[in-house]
Amino acid sequence: MNNNKKEMAVAALKNGIVIDHIPCASLFKVVNLLGLDKMESSVTIGNNLDSGSMTRKGIIKIADIELPDDTLNRIAVIAPNAVINIIRDYEVVKKHSVTLPDELIDFVHCNNPKCISNNEPMRTHFHVVDKLHTTLRCHYCERIVTHDEITLK
């Protein structure tokens, strides 16, 4: 074995997706968002891995699955710089950054206790007012929610 050669810590993925550049503090929020604890596919989760662009990062590999873009883009709420890699036959066939949708329906909890969405059986509805800083506005009470205040449903 050549000791000068870097080795992968995890086996290569034949087919599936890799979610890369997840901030370490957000990794398990993404795990919960995707429901990985209920997934039957092979899942690899790495945290506090070295990264040239962000010092430390998290990464998730999911075998034999493709998730809809809408699901992947919801990751942008908690990991705005995440990168999605679609893998087929051990090759990256598509690579893109997540993008925050214009609206988030039944996804984020309104932190205003008087909001109708917290007092009536209805879905929450937020408009994205600033994609760069992940700032949301509640459709019902107009409360502004910043990235640090976001609570997922």
Side-chain angles (χ1 to χ4, degrees), residues 40-94:
E40 296 195 14
S41 300
S42 175
V43 175
T44 303
I45 299 170
N47 200 16
N48 291 314
L49 303 173
D50 289 331
S51 170
S53 62
M54 50 190 305
T55 310
R56 307 297 256 162
K57 69 177 181 178
I59 189 169
I60 299 172
K61 292 182 174 188
I62 309 170
D64 302 320
I65 195 165
E66 287 190 28
L67 298 171
D69 286 341
D70 180 55
T71 300
L72 295 173
N73 287 340
R74 287 176 172 235
I75 294 168
V77 174
I78 47 182
N81 297 316
V83 175
I84 308 301
N85 296 284
I86 308 298
I87 312 295
R88 291 197 187 106
D89 202 24
Y90 298 103
E91 298 290 328
V92 176
V93 296
K94 182 178 178 187

Side-chain angles (χ1 to χ4, degrees), residues 5 9-11 14 39 41 53-54 65 68 78 82 87 95 100-101 105 108 118 122 133-134 146 152:
K5 205 174 197 182
V10 180
K14 182 174 182 180
M39 196 165 285
S41 300
S53 62
M54 50 190 305
I65 195 165
I78 47 182
I87 312 295
K95 182 175 190 167
L100 197 57
I105 297 174
V108 174
N118 289 320
M122 60 192 324
H133 299 101
T134 316
T146 63
L152 302 179

Side-chain angles (χ1 to χ4, degrees), residues 71-135:
T71 300
L72 295 173
N73 287 340
R74 287 176 172 235
I75 294 168
V77 174
I78 47 182
N81 297 316
V83 175
I84 308 301
N85 296 284
I86 308 298
I87 312 295
R88 291 197 187 106
D89 202 24
Y90 298 103
E91 298 290 328
V92 176
V93 296
K94 182 178 178 187
K95 182 175 190 167
H96 67 280
S97 297
V98 294
T99 55
L100 197 57
D102 293 329
E103 294 182 314
L104 297 167
I105 297 174
D106 208 28
F107 181 66
V108 174
H109 177 76
C110 185
N111 58 8
N112 177 2
K114 294 183 178 182
C115 181
I116 191 170
S117 68
N118 289 320
N119 295 294
E120 297 291 332
M122 60 192 324
R123 300 184 321 169
T124 61
H125 185 162
F126 283 86
H127 301 277
V128 177
V129 294
D130 183 347
K131 289 188 178 193
L132 182 62
H133 299 101
T134 316
T135 305

